[in-house]
Amino acid sequence: MKFLAITLITDSTDPVTGAPTPTHQRFREVVAAAQLAEELGFDGFGVGERHERPFLSSSPPVVLSHIAALTRRIRLFTAVTTLSLLDPVRAYEDYATLDHLSDGRLELMIGKGNGTAQRELFDVTPEDQWERNTEGYELFRRIWREDKVTAAPRFRPALAGAEVLPRPYQRAVRIWHGSATSRESVDLAARHGDPLFSANVTHPIGPYAELVRHYRERWEHYGHDPAHAVVGAGTAGFHTAPTSQQAALAYRPAFARYLDAHARQGLAPVFATLEEFIERSSALIGSPQQVIEKVHRYHAEFGHSVLHLQAEPGGLTGAEHRASLELFQSDIAPVLRREIPGPAFPPA
């Protein structure tokens, strides 16, 4: 199994004092988290893309380019690139440049994104966002693979023998399709023989497992070898400690933030108590053995070979989060790597 550390770069407050964290400091914290992930042996580091509060992650290629300059081995992921909002030509130029600056360590996750404010910002409607996502992806894919492209897309000006530069470092970049609930994105991934990354963070396992099953069905429908389907999955939260009691106690402030975020939005939480959150969500909170057992339970449903954890503390102290990541790498990751084969990543 392979392991990613991922951040959406939320506009946060200090978990102890409650004071707002300056934006400049937040970006420095993200860079430090990426360096720590490489130091501890994570396979990849991902930065999400959002264009509305409370997120600061509107420009993943810029953040990842800075991280690329300060790291050497770890693969760099988007999580996700919102192609429904972007001009695929401009997105290609950004990511092809990043591909060179990172010496070919780039992997993309693409998706339509969500949120009313960012749709309004880019003049995208709920009715056309799926068509935009599909068109943007297929044009992006062609530009990456073809030296000159002729196309008449619906949502951007036509291309006539267009040469888009720079040409990429990796001639065939791996593109994952991030999906929470949508069969459209699952079908797009299966049609093109691309890996799927299940968000798996909001609800109990049922709807996510159903979507993964649908992906595998469509994968075969399009004539692909079932053995080559690759699935990744997210986690709703993470903290491990020597005992389950220690892990739950330390995570309680982070869960309080989860409840507070729902209250501020006027939403009922999916999981009303920490105990329910630990038991029924995808969160990995407990002793190393409990975490290993839960990953295996989810693997029985998903067949996934890549897993993401939260790159940043998110309500824990920095010391607690680092100790948890260190324990994960020393006591959990080696077992899961041995027991669940992961997909091959190109060598750094």
Side-chain angles (χ1 to χ4, degrees), residues 71-135:
T71 58
R72 291 292 175 266
R73 176 197 58 79
I74 199 165
R75 296 193 67 75
L76 305 174
F77 285 74
T78 60
V80 299
T81 295
T82 52
L83 281 181
S84 65
L85 308 179
L86 306 178
D87 179 339
V89 175
R90 190 70 185 95
Y92 165 81
E93 292 172 333
D94 285 342
Y95 285 110
T97 301
L98 170 56
D99 195 36
H100 281 280
L101 293 174
S102 66
D103 296 325
R105 288 185 282 146
L106 174 66
E107 301 218 10
L108 289 159
M109 290 186 203
I110 65 107
K112 73 167 181 63
N114 53 29
T116 301
Q118 65 179 15
R119 282 201 306 267
E120 292 175 349
L121 186 65
F122 288 89
D123 193 27
V124 172
T125 69
E127 292 74 27
D128 68 21
Q129 61 185 347
W130 287 114
E131 291 180 68
R132 286 177 178 273
N133 184 64
T134 299
E135 179 183 284

Side-chain angles (χ1 to χ4, degrees), residues 1-312:
M1 184 167 258
K2 303 286 189 180
F3 303 104
L4 316 181
I6 285 181
T7 178
L8 296 181
I9 319 184
T10 54
D11 192 1
S12 67
T13 58
D14 187 283
V16 177
T17 67
T21 304
T23 299
H24 181 78
Q25 181 179 331
R26 281 296 294 121
F27 284 120
R28 293 300 168 194
E29 289 172 350
V30 168
V31 171
Q35 292 174 294
L36 176 62
E38 176 164 90
E39 175 190 333
L40 295 180
F42 279 85
D43 300 288
F45 187 86
V47 173
E49 181 179 333
R50 299 290 189 276
H51 299 271
E52 60 189 338
R53 290 186 181 276
F55 305 105
L56 303 172
S57 50
S58 59
S59 187
V62 175
V63 177
L64 289 171
S65 290
H66 187 68
I67 291 170
L70 298 174
T71 58
R72 291 292 175 266
R73 176 197 58 79
I74 199 165
R75 296 193 67 75
L76 305 174
F77 285 74
T78 60
V80 299
T81 295
T82 52
L83 281 181
S84 65
L85 308 179
L86 306 178
D87 179 339
V89 175
R90 190 70 185 95
Y92 165 81
E93 292 172 333
D94 285 342
Y95 285 110
T97 301
L98 170 56
D99 195 36
H100 281 280
L101 293 174
S102 66
D103 296 325
R105 288 185 282 146
L106 174 66
E107 301 218 10
L108 289 159
M109 290 186 203
I110 65 107
K112 73 167 181 63
N114 53 29
T116 301
Q118 65 179 15
R119 282 201 306 267
E120 292 175 349
L121 186 65
F122 288 89
D123 193 27
V124 172
T125 69
E127 292 74 27
D128 68 21
Q129 61 185 347
W130 287 114
E131 291 180 68
R132 286 177 178 273
N133 184 64
T134 299
E135 179 183 284
Y137 166 67
E138 292 181 339
L139 185 53
F140 182 98
R141 175 188 174 95
R142 284 192 61 195
I143 296 170
W144 196 282
R145 292 165 177 250
E146 301 173 23
D147 290 336
K148 294 187 178 181
V149 173
T150 297
R154 175 184 171 193
F155 297 107
R156 63 144 287 124
L159 301 174
E163 182 182 32
V164 188
L165 302 174
R167 301 311 302 146
Y169 185 88
Q170 300 176 88
R171 294 299 291 183
V173 69
R174 179 152 42 193
I175 301 179
W176 301 71
H177 294 247
S179 176
T181 58
S182 162
R183 289 196 168 206
E184 287 90 341
S185 55
V186 163
D187 188 82
L188 185 64
R191 188 189 324 157
H192 288 284
D194 294 330
L196 178 73
F197 212 101
S198 171
N200 190 38
V201 297
T202 305
H203 301 286
I205 192 172
Y208 302 115
E210 173 58 32
L211 212 60
V212 171
R213 286 192 291 271
H214 182 66
Y215 167 69
R216 295 186 186 280
E217 290 167 4
R218 299 306 291 170
W219 180 274
E220 292 192 54
H221 169 80
Y222 288 114
H224 304 303
D225 184 342
H228 295 160
V230 175
V231 174
T235 54
F238 168 71
H239 186 63
T240 189
T243 70
S244 59
Q245 294 83 359
Q246 290 172 313
L249 181 64
Y251 197 81
R252 197 166 291 280
F255 185 73
R257 284 192 168 199
Y258 162 86
L259 295 178
D260 181 62
H262 281 75
R264 282 186 277 106
Q265 297 175 62
L267 301 173
V270 177
F271 307 101
T273 68
L274 176 59
E275 291 71 25
E276 184 184 14
F277 184 69
I278 292 172
E279 176 60 29
R280 298 184 58 234
S281 82
S282 62
L284 301 175
I285 301 167
S287 68
Q289 186 57 40
Q290 288 172 315
V291 170
I292 290 168
E293 290 171 359
K294 191 166 186 179
V295 171
H296 272 289
R297 289 202 304 273
Y298 272 72
H299 181 262
E301 296 287 339
F302 292 162
H304 61 308
S305 55
V306 178
L307 180 74
H308 91 48
L309 303 178
Q310 285 65 39
E312 298 190 273

